Amino acid sequence: MPPAALWATLRESVQGVNKPRNQDYCEVAGRGTAEEPLIMAVADGHGSAAHARSHLGSRFAVDLFVEEARRFGALAQPRGDERPPSLAWLMHYAEHAFPRQLVSAWRDKVLGNWARTSSHEEPGLTEEHKVLLYGSTLVGAVLTPRVFAAWQLGDGELTVVDDAGRVSVPLAPAEADLGDETESLCTPEAWLRVRTHWAPVTAPWRAPRLVALSTDGLSKSFASDRGFLQFMAGLDDRLSAEGAQTVRAVLPQWLARASQHSGDDTTLVAAWHQGAPPAPEPVTAHGAPAPDGAPDPDAVPPTDHPAPPTDPHGRDE
Amino acid sequence: MANRPVHFIWLLDCSYSMQGEKIGQLNYAIREAVPEMRSVAQDNPAAQLLLRTLTFSTTARWHHQDPVPVENFTWQDVQVDGMTNLGEALQLVARELDTPPMPQRALKPVLALVSDGVPTDDWKAGLRAVDATPWGRKAVRVAIAIGADADRTVLQEFLGNPELQPLDANTPKQLAAAIRWASTAAVKAASQMVAGATDPLAKQPPYAPPVLDDDDDDVW
């Protein structure tokens, strides 16, 4: 009999009121182990006439994030006898190489889609205008036994409930965009606008209790940030009290109600940690990073020019 | 959970030059436009349309100070009085566009300016105050120039977008059409729930000004 899954996952998306199609896309995969990192992503295609193919842009964004996240998971915890890279090296990779590779892959993908699906009789568009048609936001996260990393470009929320029950939105911008404007994958040099969350996991029971990714259709259905945070705390409470199966059953109704208020497509993926903390806790320095080697100076590029770093173990991208 | 508000603010020139038929037509046109605004609001159940009116003459004052949901909104005629203190009116609007009192989670507000003359105070300072607020910069703006004496340069600057033009209302019929358009198209533009990149490439004209019939003999 296989061991019980460490994480219970939720995934739901509802179409906005009066919208011809749902431009959100989402994915949740993996078990949170070294072999199968837990990967979650949501993307929100902009949907206006200027972004007529954004429903494809959001799908490509999620699919490519999953690919990049699997690569990141393999880097974080290589198979066999290979020595894992230091956390410092991984953090640098997450902050600089990952966003650049993801945005580059997304641009290649949408331009390829344009080339394959557009009539030669269509008026000549610049590369930037073609990319604009696919505009989308993205929020993605990876959980391995060693690290929890997340990335965000544009609106939407990454919500984390820690092991003490504190709710936070670690990737919230210092000043939220007003109205419906947002940063986007279609913005030139979009990788520079990606926000990164980085948290080493020092012990299995120190991992977040709940990680939720949602598009702005959910947060904008609340009159204030406080209401949104209360919703997320309530989600954590319901999961604790009634389990994931019950919440999965009611989640479509909750999101549909939110969508009626925000008027937008509304998508949420979440992972709830089912592992109970051991008692008593071990006597170690809480929050101290797991021991790791010093960063390889040859492998870490200068921070003023963050080109994709070279993998110290010969896994050049 | 709550629907997202669209704050619509009329800024109405009530100087002496509006006396007589102009103010009568203005009152009539807005009263007639209210049902159409309700209809637009009903088409977008996730948005809550809230109306206010500010008049400016020798002083600027709120005619409807508190935001009124469109379904409860009833028009009370405005009266003429004195000068054209647009700057003071814009200063009052700027205060309302700060957060607070404006919520952070809202749709773009609409500022609809109707004038037939030349401002008699420091209107540029008022416009700077509006532009200094986050919601002021994002607001959907429409401007209606009543008659040949209206200062279109001022109205153009208020619009803050070279792709947009003030709407000319040189006859009662054109004024009615302009008010109707401002009441509906601008609300639709503000309540469109579509995100867009802030990249200049993504900027689209928010709405197309209408072509107004001009077959009316009664030219102002």
Side-chain angles (χ1 to χ4, degrees):
Chain A
M1 188 172 165
L6 196 60
W7 296 90
T9 58
L10 311 170
R11 171 185 170 173
E12 192 60 52
S13 183
V14 299
Q15 188 170 312
V17 180
N18 293 346
K19 292 193 73 175
R21 62 155 44 114
N22 187 342
Q23 276 120 355
D24 285 2
Y25 197 72
C26 64
E27 185 58 270
V28 55
R31 297 185 304 132
T33 61
E35 298 75 24
E36 286 186 71
L38 179 65
I39 297 169
M40 296 183 282
V42 298
D44 179 359
H46 300 330
S48 58
H51 311 285
R53 299 183 176 204
S54 65
H55 59 291
L56 297 173
S58 60
R59 182 168 189 149
F60 295 155
V62 167
D63 290 347
L64 291 166
F65 178 85
V66 170
E67 281 179 33
E68 289 290 339
R70 286 209 172 105
R71 203 169 290 131
F72 176 82
L75 274 175
Q77 296 188 259
R79 304 280 175 90
D81 298 332
E82 205 173 322
R83 185 171 66 87
S86 69
L87 284 175
W89 187 91
L90 266 179
M91 185 171 81
H92 189 278
Y93 179 92
E95 287 179 344
H96 300 295
F98 190 104
R100 190 181 281 265
Q101 286 164 194
L102 179 63
V103 170
S104 175
W106 183 83
R107 284 180 69 93
D108 289 348
K109 184 87 173 177
V110 303
L111 289 169
N113 179 268
W114 169 267
R116 280 194 310 279
T117 59
S118 300
S119 160
H120 294 299
E121 294 164 16
E122 289 186 82
L125 292 177
T126 65
E127 199 169 273
E128 288 311 317
H129 278 100
K130 290 171 190 172
V131 168
L132 197 69
L133 291 166
Y134 295 83
S136 174
T137 65
L138 177 70
V139 189
V142 186
L143 274 141
T144 78
R146 198 176 170 208
V147 295
F148 166 38
W151 297 262
Q152 178 164 354
L153 177 59
D155 58 25
E157 277 75 24
L158 166 77
T159 309
V160 178
V161 181
D162 69 12
D163 57 325
R166 289 179 294 253
V167 184
S168 64
V169 275
L171 289 178
E175 196 171 315
D177 282 331
L178 296 177
D180 284 337
E181 285 186 359
T182 176
E183 297 285 6
S184 169
L185 280 159
C186 68
T187 309
E189 298 187 318
W191 60 86
L192 297 174
R193 295 171 168 81
V194 173
R195 305 189 293 279
T196 307
H197 175 65
W198 175 263
V201 179
T202 55
W205 60 90
R206 306 289 298 178
R209 194 160 75 197
L210 175 69
V211 178
L213 281 60
S214 51
T215 58
D216 68 332
L218 181 58
S219 58
K220 285 177 178 166
S221 69
F222 295 92
S224 67
D225 293 347
R226 193 160 154 256
F228 173 75
L229 295 175
Q230 284 173 340
F231 172 89
M232 284 299 178
L235 176 64
D236 177 53
D237 290 344
R238 285 284 289 267
L239 284 163
S240 300
E242 298 170 37
Q245 200 60 35
T246 305
V247 173
R248 273 191 207 106
V250 294
L251 190 58
Q253 295 160 43
W254 291 354
L255 297 193
R257 189 164 158 227
S259 174
Q260 285 167 2
H261 288 287
S262 69
D264 202 358
D265 304 327
T266 303
T267 300
L268 180 137
V269 300
W272 181 59
H273 197 264
Q274 301 185 117
E281 285 192 4
V283 188
T284 56
H286 288 313
D292 62 287
D296 178 351
D298 296 327
V300 180
T303 51
D304 57 343
H305 185 66
T310 306
D311 183 343
H313 308 297
R315 289 176 186 266
D316 291 356
E317 296 298 321
Chain B
M1 291 182 178
N3 288 4
R4 297 169 70 191
V6 177
H7 287 265
F8 186 109
I9 301 176
W10 286 112
L11 290 107
L12 304 179
D13 183 344
C14 291
S15 58
Y16 272 135
S17 56
M18 286 286 292
Q19 203 163 212
E21 195 183 13
K22 284 184 187 172
I23 202 72
Q25 283 295 337
L26 178 68
N27 282 316
Y28 173 79
I30 294 182
R31 197 180 307 112
E32 290 299 298
V34 171
E36 295 191 48
M37 294 181 95
R38 287 197 190 113
S39 174
V40 170
Q42 280 165 4
D43 288 343
N44 193 343
Q48 186 191 20
L49 180 57
L50 302 168
L51 307 184
R52 272 178 282 186
T53 313
L54 181 66
T55 62
F56 57 95
S57 50
T58 302
T59 58
R61 60 169 68 94
W62 287 102
H63 190 59
H64 299 93
Q65 177 149 21
D66 296 322
V68 182
V70 68
E71 55 272 21
N72 302 333
F73 187 80
T74 52
W75 183 248
Q76 294 141 1
D77 286 358
V78 293
Q79 310 297 330
V80 297
D81 162 40
M83 311 294 279
T84 310
N85 282 3
L86 172 62
E88 191 186 342
L90 292 172
Q91 296 277 9
L92 285 180
V93 167
R95 277 182 225 161
E96 298 300 313
L97 293 174
D98 253 331
T99 49
M102 275 281 283
Q104 278 208 303
R105 294 185 193 272
L107 293 160
K108 290 176 185 174
V110 182
L111 304 179
L113 172 61
V114 185
S115 179
D116 80 329
V118 181
T120 50
D121 67 348
D122 187 359
W123 63 273
K124 287 199 173 187
L127 190 53
R128 280 196 300 272
V130 169
D131 289 338
T133 66
W135 280 118
R137 285 193 295 275
K138 290 190 183 296
V140 172
R141 302 185 193 187
V142 294
I144 298 170
I146 303 182
D149 294 336
D151 190 331
R152 280 164 178 73
T153 311
V154 171
L155 298 180
Q156 186 67 63
E157 206 156 330
F158 165 79
L159 290 173
N161 181 345
E163 291 174 1
L164 297 176
Q165 298 291 320
L167 205 52
D168 290 334
N170 294 321
T171 67
K173 189 174 177 180
Q174 282 187 337
L175 177 62
I179 294 286
R180 199 163 51 242
W181 169 75
S183 306
T184 53
V187 170
K188 284 178 188 169
S191 59
Q192 261 188 332
M193 293 181 193
V194 285
T198 50
D199 185 80
L201 268 175
K203 281 195 175 174
Q204 300 289 320
Y207 41 82
V211 177
L212 299 180
D213 291 337
D214 193 12
D215 56 356
D216 203 320
D217 293 336
D218 188 6
V219 177
W220 284 320

